[in-house]
Amino acid sequence: MGKVTGFLEYQRLQEASEAPQSRKKHYKEFVLHLSDADAQIQGARCMDCGIPFCNNGCPVNNIIPDWNDLVYHGNYQEALEVLHSTNNFPEFTGRICPAPCEAACTLGINNDPVGIKSIEHFIIDKGWENGWVVPQAPAVKTGKKVAVVGAGPAGMAAAQQLARAGHDVTVFEKNDRVGGLLRYGIPDFKLEKSHIDRRVEQMKAEGVTFRTGVFVGKDFTPNVYNWAKETISPDQLKKDFDAIVISGGAEQPRDLPVPGRELKGVHFAMEFLPLQNKVNAGDKVKDQIMATGKHVVVIGGGDTGSDCVGTSNRHGAAAVTQFELLPQPPEQENKPLVWPYWPTKLRTSSSHEEGCERDWAVATKRLEGKNGKVEKLIAVRVEWKDGKMVEVPNSEFEIKADLVLLAMGFVSPVQQVLDAFGIDKDARGNAKATTDGDGCYQTSVDKVFAAGDMRRGQSLVVWAIREGRQCARAVDEFLMGSSVLPR
């Protein structure tokens, strides 16, 4: 490393951000990337640890020590090349990835880990600012045609890799814009959609064709996840293309089967969040679900719940409360016990900082209201005994609730698509396909592959990118007999 003693001399620096009360007034990103000088100092903190566990902690196996060292020396363009060698879209991960690489950082054993995510954010923004991110069109075309179903991060990564290998790639997306849950799910204040748009333009220049508003399957049902205007059958795709990649997201939300679930004002998070994305994009939305002036209760303590909190605050909610079924995690993890794995600890998001009451070990008993509209939530405290969750006696309480948002995760991909193709599924309803050996990422249907949430279930954007890249290599090998694409 360029600065062998850097980890002893410098402290971790957080990225600067706009104050909570100010940023609640808009939907723009509010986190600033590091300055050149700060990025170099943060790169210098990367120690010569011998075994870089951060590489394995990162699902796309980013070559983190190398680009940290390059940033320290001011070689930003070369750092970008190293970063892009493993990650197609670092502007996505540099903003919304929870950074499992940092949890695996060797320095993190007894100190603050290297600010890997902030350095990644810096590198890619520097690349776009200086015009270093350019199309990489293939020198030779193969004449093979590949269909990619689903334009989220897995589908985008697979499509870009396959196009660069010389194949003619067409991406089919049921929504009116490309991006999947990055577009309609992640709030704009965490990821402005211009980042997706400029990648789409790059991919078009590389030869990728995008067809939006097209649903692939049968029994098309318009809903908040699906604004398709056209339907194509799997049989037609199999006839027109040499290989097909199924890369849709895990969009089947976990429901809350309690009395009062049918009341108006009770919605899935993904009925609430995408509509605000569309409004931010300039669309006119009829009957948008608004939190303005309401007492909002968010059920679910994960990232989706946090996104509901941030959006509700921007709507001008009267109050926002977030419930989590599990006990409150410790403020600090037990590093000797869990390192280099992802630790369980209390995490406070930027949305929580903007205003939110949080409560743990709470289960919803029922929802009550008048004239068919929810007015309050009845809950009970729970505890774990002998491996089971039990109610705490005499702990029932109620809370005012004008809007209840269910953010308890997702159980499976859309079954309509898998059923239409006739793909074998695993016990969780995902497409059954292995990730190693002969036929990796191949489904039970000839020349049909699966990647991302469609194969592994609900996961992180960085896992989607990894699966898209690996699936692209598998498709290339299937079509050509061998592949030079990185795995």
Side-chain angles (χ1 to χ4, degrees):
M1 302 304 296
K3 185 70 171 177
V4 176
T5 58
F7 71 97
L8 296 172
E9 299 175 28
Y10 305 123
Q11 298 300 311
R12 179 185 171 103
L13 177 67
Q14 295 296 117
E15 294 172 304
S17 62
E18 188 178 348
Q21 293 307 311
S22 173
R23 67 191 189 223
K24 285 197 300 182
K25 299 176 182 178
H26 62 79
Y27 291 89
K28 298 292 185 181
E29 289 181 14
F30 51 82
V31 176
L32 305 178
H33 66 68
L34 300 171
S35 67
D36 289 24
D38 286 339
Q40 289 180 10
I41 288 175
Q42 293 308 295
R45 294 189 71 239
C46 188
M47 59 193 297
D48 189 10
C49 60
I51 300 177
F53 288 89
C54 55
N55 289 158
N56 288 335
C58 172
V60 293
N61 303 121
N62 277 332
I63 312 170
I64 295 163
D66 289 34
W67 44 257
N68 279 343
D69 186 51
L70 289 165
V71 167
Y72 168 65
H73 285 98
N75 298 327
Y76 306 135
Q77 188 169 4
E78 189 176 350
L80 179 64
E81 292 172 3
V82 175
L83 177 55
H84 266 150
S85 71
T86 56
N87 186 352
N88 295 68
F89 313 118
E91 64 269 44
F92 302 163
T93 51
R95 285 169 166 80
I96 62 175
C97 182
C101 54
E102 293 188 11
C105 175
T106 302
L107 182 57
I109 295 175
N110 63 351
N111 201 337
D112 290 332
V114 174
I116 300 168
K117 180 179 175 180
S118 66
I119 299 172
E120 179 181 29
H121 184 188
F122 166 82
I123 294 171
I124 185 58
D125 280 14
K126 177 69 71 172
W128 283 109
E129 290 166 5
N130 286 278
W132 298 334
V133 184
V134 296
Q136 299 178 32
V140 179
K141 300 289 284 186
T142 65
K144 301 291 185 179
K145 298 170 64 178
V146 183
V148 176
V149 181
M156 289 179 68
Q160 186 167 61
Q161 293 295 95
L162 287 165
R164 290 175 175 178
H167 306 304
D168 292 318
V169 182
T170 302
V171 180
F172 296 89
E173 169 58 46
K174 65 183 184 304
N175 290 326
D176 55 352
R177 296 181 178 91
V178 172
L181 291 176
L182 293 173
R183 174 77 65 177
Y184 292 124
I186 302 294
D188 291 64
F189 55 81
K190 290 175 66 175
L191 179 72
E192 291 183 13
K193 308 317 172 193
S194 58
H195 302 301
I196 305 172
D197 296 336
R198 62 188 179 186
R199 279 296 181 183
V200 170
E201 292 305 311
Q202 180 197 34
M203 292 171 67
K204 287 180 178 178
E206 294 171 347
V208 178
T209 299
F210 291 93
R211 292 187 58 184
T212 56
V214 179
F215 179 78
V216 177
K218 301 175 183 177
D219 305 321
F220 166 67
T221 304
N223 55 40
V224 74
Y225 307 105
N226 197 340
W227 294 291
K229 296 181 179 179
E230 180 184 352
T231 301
I232 292 181
S233 71
D235 289 340
Q236 187 65 46
L237 284 191
K238 285 187 276 188
K239 178 182 177 182
D240 295 341
F241 293 89
D242 299 297
I244 302 169
V245 176
I246 309 296
S247 56
E251 295 182 355
Q252 190 63 45
R254 182 173 286 106
D255 208 343
L256 183 68
V258 298
R261 169 64 179 87
E262 74 287 351
L263 292 171
K264 292 182 180 179
V266 183
H267 301 276
F268 289 120
M270 291 303 296
E271 294 174 325
F272 174 68
L273 296 171
L275 300 182
Q276 187 60 54
N277 291 132
K278 287 186 73 67
V279 170
N280 293 343
D283 295 350
K284 293 183 178 180
V285 175
K286 184 180 179 181
D287 300 324
Q288 182 186 0
I289 302 167
M290 297 295 295
T292 310
K294 296 178 181 178
H295 289 77
V296 180
V297 178
V298 179
I299 301 177
D303 289 338
T304 304
S306 173
D307 294 342
C308 290
V309 170
T311 302
S312 295
N313 277 324
R314 281 161 177 75
H315 282 184
V320 183
T321 303
Q322 186 177 24
F323 288 145
E324 168 58 55
L325 185 65
L326 298 175
Q328 181 175 343
E331 292 191 10
Q332 291 294 329
E333 72 271 34
N334 186 338
K335 289 186 178 181
L337 179 66
V338 300
W339 180 89
Y341 301 108
W342 184 250
T344 298
K345 67 175 183 179
L346 181 63
R347 303 177 193 278
T348 300
S349 73
S350 60
S351 292
H352 295 140
E353 295 171 353
E354 294 164 1
C356 174
E357 292 294 326
R358 305 167 72 186
D359 205 349
W360 289 265
V362 173
T364 302
K365 295 286 289 183
R366 63 188 181 277
L367 301 164
E368 296 181 356
K370 294 180 180 178
N371 301 319
K373 191 176 186 311
V374 68
E375 291 185 338
K376 59 183 177 180
L377 180 149
I378 313 301
V380 64
R381 302 202 174 274
V382 295
E383 59 184 353
W384 292 86
K385 289 186 177 180
D386 301 323
K388 297 181 180 180
M389 186 186 71
V390 297
E391 295 183 8
V392 176
N394 303 315
S395 65
E396 189 172 293
F397 66 98
E398 67 178 52
I399 181 172
K400 183 176 176 58
D402 306 308
L403 177 62
V404 178
L405 300 173
L406 309 180
M408 302 173 294
F410 302 86
V411 296
S412 72
V414 176
Q415 298 300 295
Q416 291 169 288
V417 176
L418 297 179
D419 291 342
F421 276 92
I423 294 172
D424 289 347
K425 293 177 278 190
D426 63 18
R428 297 186 300 154
N430 304 321
K432 184 181 288 186
T434 64
T435 58
D436 52 20
D438 294 335
C440 64
Y441 289 94
Q442 292 191 41
T443 70
S444 58
V445 178
D446 182 45
K447 73 178 185 181
V448 178
F449 296 72
D453 288 3
M454 190 66 76
R455 191 203 67 81
R456 65 177 284 119
Q458 176 191 2
S459 194
L460 305 174
V461 63
V462 67
W463 272 107
I465 295 171
R466 171 198 171 106
E467 295 237 331
R469 288 172 61 88
Q470 291 190 343
C471 183
R473 178 184 171 91
V475 172
D476 193 32
E477 289 177 334
F478 170 78
L479 294 174
M480 307 302 294
S482 63
S483 178
V484 295
L485 290 175
R487 194 178 190 284

